[in-house]
Every structure is written in structure tokens, then in C-alpha cells.
Amino acid sequence: MGSPASLVDPPRRGLTLGSGLPTVPHVPTTNGSALAGPGRRSTGVRRAATSGKRPPAPILVRQMRGPVEESVHRGDVVEVDLSGRVLRSIGDPERLVNLRSAVKPFGLIPLLEAGGEREFGLEPQELAIMAGSHSGEDLHVRTLQALFRRTGITQAALGCGTTGMPLDALTATRLARDGEKPGPIRHMCSGQHSVFLLLSKLGGWSPEAYWLDDHPTQRALRDAVARVFRADPARLVTSIDGCAIPTYAFPIRQVAWAYAILADAGSIPGDDPRSKLAPHLEKIRDAMLAYPEIVAGTRDRLDTAVMKALPGRVAAKGGAEGLGNFAILPGSRGAAEAVGASGLSVKIEDGSASERAWWAASVEALRQAGAVDAAALRALGRYHRPPTTDSQGRVAAEAIASFELAPVGELIR
């Protein structure tokens, strides 16, 4: 890996949509948000706003208590193939979203390019936790502690903090019962932050304030993100993530495209500069698929549940504020598959205040994309129709997906 001076300059705050991207064809607007009732389904693609104000997103999920629709959740969904062509969509494929934790699989690229796997003897489960957002359970702590002991880094150097951690409710309850204060190693982003500490060790850089924009590890991350998304690193849309590092914004279509690349990096055309990243992306994807419980957790984590229900077929990684992303590997849809690898991204308009919406919308979108068969749908039942129980344990309400992904080609006039 090069010295700090060899990496890209700090970013200028401003809009970029990447370069050399395929054009999404104009499609008629069919906004299904006015439909009502549990039997009605939103359809169509929402045209991007030109007046500076986006039109309402279509309804994706309805919260039903008996026959009464108590609330709705709106959002956008897009599926993209390896060439960047939109396959299916509802809402606005150009909706700008922050990557947040969805960047983590791609954030491992600089460490692998710099020879970190060989230098530190990194194991697949360690790659998985660095690409994930873990629940802070003991298996995650043990994985990171083994890495820290072997590489000579300490959790005291982690800058991710401890606020709201661990994610796992049972672990948090146990720690509180025992009077144990969680350390930053239990933060869901501690695996990602370990990448920056290892990069600092490799590059001979001070790890102090590694989360700031101008630290060489953040410049390395920015460069990797720009290459994956085929964007100018000096013009990325940036803001600050909850764990203090920069985050990057792209249209949801480009996020789905990045996950299509993750699904089948070995098939990237040789004239695409991203083909040089293929060995690293394949290694990251395979680690995630091999250790789904390390990527997220053993309880109440959709990413883990999807990868366990669809072993070797879909790599899943969510981001904050209701963003879900799925790398659908080639051959995952059966012998009759004509699509090949694809990336699927779901963004819930009201964010992550309630997991029920992006759980239900994500599983339903995977089903409509042909990636979820009947057996997997049964295994994912509680995520497909997340229940709300009463004080006696009875199901009192359900979040029900209520949309149809439109095949974009069929909408072109």
C-alpha cells in the first residue's frame, strides 16, 4: 500500500453520480401510494423529481391489526444486473441514500490490497466480522479478541464508542445484570474499525484520530469506494456516520449495482477497472457466506437469517435507516435462471425506527426476484410477515409487504 501522499486528496463536499454509468431508461410513472387496503399492491416505477421535491414513495409494507390498516411504510426497491441494467424496480432508482454500514464489505478492499491477509494471517471469520455489523455477542468478542492478540492492537484504540451497544438484547441484559460495562469491542462497527487499525499498522501511520477525513486510512477507504462505484473520489457526497467515520451517498441503483458486482466479481469484464478487485471481492463475499452469524448475529438479524436460509446463494448486508442490500449469486434462481447475478437494494422511507418494514419488504423483494424458494420462505417467515404479539403471546398484528416489483423492460414505451 502506498504512503499517505500517494492516496487521493481529501474530498470536496458536493454531488457526484459516478462516471460511465449505464443510463436508466425513462419509464412511465405509476405511483401506487394511493391504493388502500391489505389486498391492494403498489406497482410501478416512480419518476425522479425534477423540481427539487421528490414525490411520495410508494407503499411497500402495511401494518395490519385484524382488518384495520394501522400504518404504512413507504420506500424504494431496485434490482440491477452485473452490467448495471435495472431489472426490477418500484419507486425511484435514483433515490440518493447514505451507504452507512452497507459500505463495510467494500471497506475491506484496501486491507486486502495492501497484503493484510498474508501479513496478519487473517482467517475467513475475521474477514466476515470486518465486513459486518455484529450484534456484540460473545462469539463476536472472541473473534475480535483473537485478532487483536495476534496482531498487537487493542480495543482501547477503537474510536467507535459504546453508545447503544451491544445490539443483542440478551447480551445487553446479561451485562447489565452482572454490572459489566460494554467496551467498544461490543460495538457493531468494531470489526470495520479494526480494518483501519490494521491498515495503520501496515502503513506505519499513527492510529490516532483514524476516523477523520484526512487520515490515510480514510483516504484509502474513499479511494476504494470510488473505484467500486466508478466515481471521482474528489467529488463523493459525504457526511458523518454514527461511528464517527465518513459515510458516502449514492443513488440506490448504484448501491444495487455494487452488490451485483460483489455477487459475481469474477464475471466483471476485463475492460472494467473493477475487474482488478475481483479476487478481493470474491474472498470477502465467500467469508460472509461462510460465517453469516459472524456478519450479524444469532438472534433477530435479517442479514444472518437470509444467508442461512439461502446458503451460498445470497450475501446480505444492511445499512442504517432502513437500507438492505443483497448480492444474489449466479445460479441462485434455479436451472431456468436467465438473469445471472444481480444486486437488490431496499430503502424504507421512515428509516430504521421499526425493523418490521425492511424485514418484510426485503424478503418479499427477494421472493419476487426469484431468489427465495418455498422452503427458504418458510424459514424466513417471521421476517417476511413480522408479527406483533399481545400480552398472552397471541399474534395481534402483522407487517405485510404490499407491492409488486415491475420488470423495467416491460414498462418501456
Side-chain angles (χ1 to χ4, degrees):
M1 184 168 183
S3 65
S6 71
L7 298 171
V8 296
D9 293 330
R12 297 190 301 272
R13 306 288 177 173
L15 181 64
T16 184
L17 297 182
S19 59
L21 301 174
T23 301
V24 177
H26 166 70
V27 292
T29 301
T30 308
N31 190 338
S33 60
L35 300 177
R40 306 299 297 274
R41 299 171 71 84
S42 305
T43 61
V45 175
R46 181 165 48 99
R47 185 183 305 171
T50 57
S51 63
K53 181 180 180 181
R54 294 190 305 110
I59 292 172
L60 299 183
V61 177
R62 303 173 190 274
Q63 178 72 0
M64 302 300 301
R65 188 174 295 269
V68 178
E69 178 184 280
E70 289 197 313
S71 57
V72 298
H73 301 278
R74 300 175 181 272
D76 306 281
V77 184
V78 62
E79 183 186 11
V80 173
D81 70 10
L82 197 62
S83 71
R85 179 173 60 101
V86 176
L87 302 174
R88 298 176 180 86
S89 184
I90 182 170
D92 184 2
E94 301 304 322
R95 163 72 187 271
L96 195 67
V97 299
N98 282 314
L99 290 177
R100 305 292 296 273
S101 288
V103 77
K104 290 175 180 176
F106 310 111
L108 254 174
I109 290 171
L111 183 60
L112 296 182
E113 284 186 317
E117 182 186 17
R118 179 183 62 257
E119 177 70 20
F120 298 118
L122 299 178
E123 300 290 338
Q125 62 268 32
E126 294 167 342
L127 298 179
I129 203 165
M130 289 189 279
S133 298
H134 65 80
S135 290
E137 299 172 64
D138 289 351
L139 79 161
H140 303 116
V141 170
R142 288 193 298 269
T143 301
L144 285 172
Q145 285 176 335
L147 171 66
F148 290 179
R149 284 194 299 269
R150 193 174 69 253
T151 59
I153 61 177
T154 170
Q155 70 162 316
L158 292 170
C160 50
T162 61
T163 303
M165 300 297 151
L167 287 181
D168 182 62
L170 290 180
T171 301
T173 299
R174 190 197 81 219
L175 294 178
R177 181 200 66 199
D178 296 344
E180 182 180 345
K181 183 179 179 180
I185 199 169
R186 290 197 186 268
H187 193 285
M188 66 178 179
C189 298
S190 59
Q192 178 191 32
H193 282 238
S194 301
V195 173
F196 306 130
L197 295 177
L198 292 176
L199 270 176
S200 293
K201 197 173 185 70
L202 269 179
W205 306 318
S206 168
E208 185 176 353
Y210 65 79
W211 52 85
L212 296 180
D213 285 10
D214 59 354
H215 193 276
T217 59
Q218 296 307 320
R219 287 189 275 155
L221 173 62
R222 184 167 65 251
D223 178 65
V225 169
R227 283 184 289 154
V228 169
F229 285 84
R230 299 208 320 197
D232 179 352
R235 300 186 62 222
L236 293 173
V237 180
T238 66
S239 49
I240 301 173
D241 207 342
C243 63
I245 69 168
T247 188
Y248 303 92
F250 293 94
I252 190 173
R253 170 179 61 86
Q254 286 185 251
V255 180
W257 192 11
Y259 274 82
I261 295 295
L262 181 64
D264 192 15
S267 295
I268 304 172
D271 59 355
D272 187 324
R274 294 173 298 182
S275 63
K276 297 178 181 179
L277 304 177
H280 306 310
L281 289 171
E282 288 176 335
K283 191 176 296 290
I284 295 162
R285 178 204 64 196
D286 291 347
M288 295 172 67
L289 292 171
Y291 292 95
E293 291 181 333
I294 295 291
V295 172
T298 63
R299 292 177 284 268
D300 298 326
R301 298 299 303 273
L302 179 65
D303 292 352
T304 293
V306 166
M307 288 189 282
K308 290 183 71 174
L310 301 166
R313 294 156 62 185
V314 175
K317 184 69 197 78
E321 297 299 327
L323 179 64
N325 306 284
F326 306 91
I328 304 173
L329 276 67
S332 297
R333 284 168 261 240
E337 176 180 296
V339 174
S342 67
L344 178 71
S345 292
V346 177
K347 176 66 172 76
I348 301 300
E349 186 93 338
D350 54 18
S352 55
S354 173
E355 288 182 314
R356 69 191 185 199
W358 79 272
W359 283 1
S362 294
V363 177
E364 176 62 17
L366 286 167
R367 186 194 70 80
Q368 292 188 34
V372 175
D373 56 23
L377 194 62
R378 288 192 295 272
L380 293 169
R382 64 179 295 266
Y383 297 96
H384 190 212
R385 293 179 66 143
T388 301
T389 56
D390 69 4
S391 59
Q392 302 301 315
R394 298 175 300 178
V395 174
E398 287 183 301
I400 301 175
S402 182
F403 65 91
E404 292 180 5
L405 286 178
V408 170
E410 296 179 10
L411 296 177
I412 298 174
R413 299 293 186 267

